[in-house]
Amino acid sequence: MMEKFAIKQNNNKKYIMDKFSVLIPTYQEKERPYNLVKTILKDKIANKIDRIVIVTPDKSLILPKSKKILLILEKERKGKWYAIKLGLKAIKTKIVIMLSSDLKMRNNFLSFLLKHFKDPYIGMVVGRPLADKNSKIYPFSKIIWDLHHLLCLREPKGTEICGFRKILTNFPRICADEVFIEYKIKKAGYKISYEPRAFGYTKIPYTLLQLFRQRKRIFNGHLQVKKEYNFVVSSMKIHLILSAMFQLLKRQRSIKLFFVLAVLIFIEILARIFATLEAFSNKFEIIW
């Protein structure tokens, strides 16, 4: 039986938004969590926030002053999965907005995410991460996130920007946290929606080697979810990836794009091979 949705109707047939919570796991980030929380507190619907839960092992983390902020300090760093587990235990609202701490979100993004929960069949909504220009390999990361956008238009998948119904009673030791939430939401009978207007800029790797390691870790996590829960995320479906690439090439028609895409394909294939070998050996990057 489906739980009650977080946007309810009054006698005037207008939707009244219930309180919701924000969860931000963070590790070794300095200024970005502060700026992210500041953006959230300035949001036009910030009055509807019950708590902003920050989970971190960093005792020196500096945050804006607000009664809405709950800081949970981990005694021992066990990975993002554990930070999410601690955060969810402290959250009492039916809707959770979960964000990566390195994001630079657009102003007033929350209402774009939350409006989707007016539909009782929507269990999760994902926003649009964009590549931040903090690296010389920005063109490579930009293409990855552009492809991710085109993929989500076809079949939305968990991202660094997401909101979901709090149906989870526990959180397992897993590295692909957003994908696991996506799996649980779908298993409960809900649908996933994509909201590109809820966008934010995410920190990207500084070198192609770092990009390779990131892609290997991500695919390694997807393989763990597939192995343990028999769930295949959309970015593992080759026909969807090829379709997104053809759309991108058709829109831009650039020789530079073709070259960068060729390099990315090589990195991605190599990363998936190494990730698959690690998965066969039951090695998963839980803490990174």
Side-chain angles (χ1 to χ4, degrees):
M1 183 177 179
M2 213 169 270
E3 68 174 64
K4 294 181 180 178
F5 48 100
I7 308 265
K8 60 187 180 183
Q9 213 172 11
N10 67 8
N11 295 330
N12 297 322
K13 295 184 178 180
K14 291 181 180 179
Y15 289 104
I16 299 176
M17 189 181 298
D18 282 347
K19 293 280 187 177
F20 63 94
S21 300
V22 180
L23 173 58
I24 307 173
T26 182
Y27 174 64
Q28 288 189 338
E29 290 287 347
K30 296 181 180 179
E31 295 180 0
R32 293 195 178 218
Y34 182 96
N35 293 329
L36 176 59
V37 173
K38 195 173 180 180
T39 299
I40 293 168
L41 289 171
K42 288 183 177 180
D43 197 283
K44 62 184 180 182
I45 59 169
N47 63 311
K48 293 296 182 179
I49 298 172
D50 180 53
R51 280 181 171 179
I52 302 174
V53 181
I54 316 290
V55 187
T56 182
D58 302 328
K59 295 181 180 179
S60 60
L61 183 67
I62 299 174
L63 296 167
K65 292 182 179 180
S66 172
K67 293 180 179 179
K68 291 182 180 291
I69 296 173
L70 173 64
L71 177 63
I72 300 176
L73 289 173
E74 297 177 81
K75 294 181 180 179
E76 178 187 355
R77 179 173 171 251
K78 297 181 180 180
K80 189 178 176 183
W81 71 274
Y82 188 69
I84 294 172
K85 181 178 181 178
L86 291 178
L88 289 176
K89 284 184 178 180
I91 289 173
K92 306 302 180 185
T93 57
K94 296 178 181 179
I95 299 293
V96 182
I97 304 296
M98 191 170 77
L99 305 165
S100 291
S101 63
D102 66 342
L103 285 163
K104 295 178 182 178
M105 295 299 299
R106 66 166 291 180
N107 292 330
N108 300 316
F109 70 94
L110 288 170
S111 57
F112 290 113
L113 291 173
L114 289 162
K115 69 170 189 171
H116 289 261
F117 294 108
K118 292 178 182 178
D119 184 344
Y121 295 101
I122 296 296
M124 182 180 188
V125 57
V126 296
R128 183 181 182 184
L130 296 166
D132 195 1
K133 294 182 180 180
N134 64 289
S135 167
K136 291 181 179 179
I137 67 163
Y138 166 75
F140 293 90
S141 291
K142 181 182 184 303
I143 289 177
I144 289 175
W145 287 115
D146 285 347
L147 289 171
H148 184 274
H149 166 65
L150 294 171
L151 195 66
C152 282
L153 289 173
R154 290 278 303 274
E155 188 175 323
K157 65 183 292 292
T159 71
E160 286 87 342
I161 306 165
C162 67
F164 56 90
R165 299 187 189 277
K166 190 175 177 286
I167 62 171
L168 299 161
T169 55
N170 200 356
F171 210 89
R173 190 173 182 271
I174 201 160
C175 48
D177 43 274
E178 293 101 346
V179 174
F180 174 75
I181 295 170
E182 176 189 345
Y183 156 72
K184 293 294 286 185
I185 291 293
K186 286 184 175 179
K187 187 179 180 182
Y190 291 105
K191 296 179 181 179
I192 297 179
S193 183
Y194 178 48
E195 181 48 79
R197 289 174 296 180
F199 64 82
Y201 297 88
T202 183
K203 191 185 292 185
I204 61 175
Y206 292 97
T207 66
L208 289 178
L209 179 59
Q210 288 181 353
L211 179 63
F212 163 76
R213 289 171 176 167
Q214 182 190 64
R215 300 307 301 168
K216 178 172 70 72
R217 184 186 72 244
I218 289 170
F219 194 69
N220 179 266
H222 292 172
L223 289 173
Q224 183 188 18
V225 174
K226 181 182 178 182
K227 181 178 181 179
E228 296 184 13
Y229 301 98
N230 195 30
F231 179 74
V232 178
V233 70
S234 61
S235 58
M236 294 181 73
K237 299 175 182 179
I238 301 300
H239 70 285
L240 291 180
I241 297 173
L242 290 175
S243 176
M245 285 194 295
F246 285 134
Q247 285 183 63
L248 195 63
L249 287 167
K250 187 177 179 181
R251 289 181 182 183
Q252 298 189 22
R253 297 183 181 181
S254 164
I255 295 176
K256 182 180 178 181
L257 172 63
F258 184 83
F259 170 75
V260 174
L261 192 56
V263 175
L264 280 176
I265 291 171
F266 174 76
I267 291 173
E268 187 70 20
I269 291 172
L270 202 62
R272 292 193 177 205
I273 290 172
F274 276 82
T276 303
L277 291 173
E278 290 181 356
F280 274 130
S281 301
N282 207 30
K283 294 180 181 178
F284 299 105
E285 297 185 56
I286 305 297
I287 302 176
W288 46 273

